[in-house]
Amino acid sequence: HGEYLYVTGGRYTTSMPEVRTASRRNHTKSDDSSQVYRLQRASFKGASTGGFTGSWYMQQQQQQQQAGANDVRGGGGGRDSVYAIETLPRMSSGRYGHASVVYRNRLIVGGGRIQSRLDNTVEYLDLNEYATYCEATRNMEKTSGDALTKLTMPAWKALPPFNSHGRFSFSLMVINDRLYATGGTDAGSVSIECLNEDTSPPRWDTV
C-alpha cells in the first residue's frame, strides 16, 4: 500500500529454524504468527542481492552496527534505516491462511485459521494512531527517555466478524471505497460480503 508492503501473520516452518526460535521466544507455543512487519518498497532496490531474503537476513554484525548508528525506534521493535524492515504491534491472535488489506488508513486482517481452527474474526490497526505514536516516541527520545514509559503503543481493535463460519485462503479487496471479502473456503459457502460502516454497529452484508 503506497510506499509500504505489509507482512502479517503466517505459520512458522522448520525450514526457517532461526526465525522460528527467535519469534516464538516468550510469546506463544502455537506455530501461528501474530507478528506484523512493514517494509519500504524502496528498500528492495537497496538490497544488493536476494530481494526480500537479502533484506530480511542481515548478518548479526551489520545489525549491531546499524542499530548503534542509524536505528529509528518505532512500534514493536524498531526500523532499520537501510533495510527499512519495521516491526509493528502484534495482532491479538496468530493466524495463517488469512487476508489483509489497507482500507481507510487501517491495516485490516481477518479470517484464516487460528490454532488450526477456521476463524471469522476481523481486526485492524489504525495507521494514523501508529504514526502519531512513532512521532511522539521520536520527539520524547530527543528530550527525556523516561517520558517514553508514559506512551501507550496502539493496539489492534476488533471489527465485526464475517457472517460466514470462517474464511481460509480468500481475498480482501477495496472497490469504490468499499471493503469486500471474497472467495476462499468456509463451511461450504463462497459468499461475497461487504463491510457496512454506515450502520451502528457496523456489520458485514452478504452481496
Side-chain angles (χ1 to χ4, degrees):
H1 179 265
E3 64 176 308
Y4 295 107
L5 170 68
Y6 293 88
V7 180
T8 61
R11 201 158 219 223
Y12 302 120
T13 65
T14 54
S15 64
M16 299 166 60
E18 66 278 20
V19 175
R20 181 175 181 171
T21 300
S23 300
R24 290 177 58 185
R25 188 179 297 121
N26 300 324
H27 289 287
T28 175
K29 295 181 180 180
S30 170
D31 286 339
D32 305 344
S33 172
S34 61
Q35 291 183 310
V36 181
Y37 301 98
R38 183 166 73 175
L39 298 86
Q40 288 187 350
R41 293 181 183 273
S43 69
F44 286 99
K45 298 179 181 178
S48 57
T49 58
F52 177 80
T53 303
S55 299
W56 191 269
Y57 291 105
M58 292 181 289
Q59 295 181 1
Q60 186 175 8
Q61 184 177 4
Q62 289 178 306
Q63 289 178 315
Q64 292 173 345
Q65 291 174 347
Q66 291 163 0
N70 300 318
D71 185 65
V72 178
R73 208 174 285 176
R79 180 177 62 193
D80 180 86
S81 62
V82 176
Y83 293 89
I85 299 174
E86 184 178 1
T87 305
L88 273 63
R90 286 174 171 265
M91 297 183 292
S92 60
S93 300
R95 62 178 79 218
Y96 65 99
H98 57 282
S100 60
V101 70
V102 174
Y103 174 60
R104 294 181 178 176
N105 220 29
R106 295 169 294 178
L107 176 57
I108 298 176
V109 175
R113 290 184 181 271
I114 297 178
Q115 296 184 0
S116 298
R117 294 190 297 271
L118 201 61
D119 186 77
N120 69 345
T121 61
V122 184
E123 58 183 322
Y124 73 93
L125 178 67
D126 189 314
L127 297 177
N128 286 328
E129 288 184 3
Y130 179 71
T132 300
Y133 167 81
C134 291
E135 182 63 25
T137 299
R138 288 190 289 268
N139 290 338
M140 286 187 175
E141 283 178 336
K142 297 175 183 177
T143 57
S144 173
D146 294 337
L148 289 174
T149 59
K150 299 179 181 179
L151 289 176
T152 300
M153 186 185 302
W156 287 74
K157 302 174 185 177
L159 281 173
F162 298 126
N163 294 321
S164 54
H165 174 68
R167 288 183 179 271
F168 182 82
S169 190
F170 68 108
S171 296
L172 284 172
M173 59 182 66
V174 178
I175 302 175
N176 294 330
D177 199 37
R178 289 287 188 178
L179 177 61
Y180 294 87
T182 64
T185 58
D186 60 9
S189 171
V190 289
S191 64
I192 298 175
E193 300 180 51
C194 177
L195 179 62
N196 184 348
E197 294 186 289
D198 296 329
T199 63
S200 181
R203 66 171 186 260
W204 288 89
D205 292 333
T206 302
V207 177

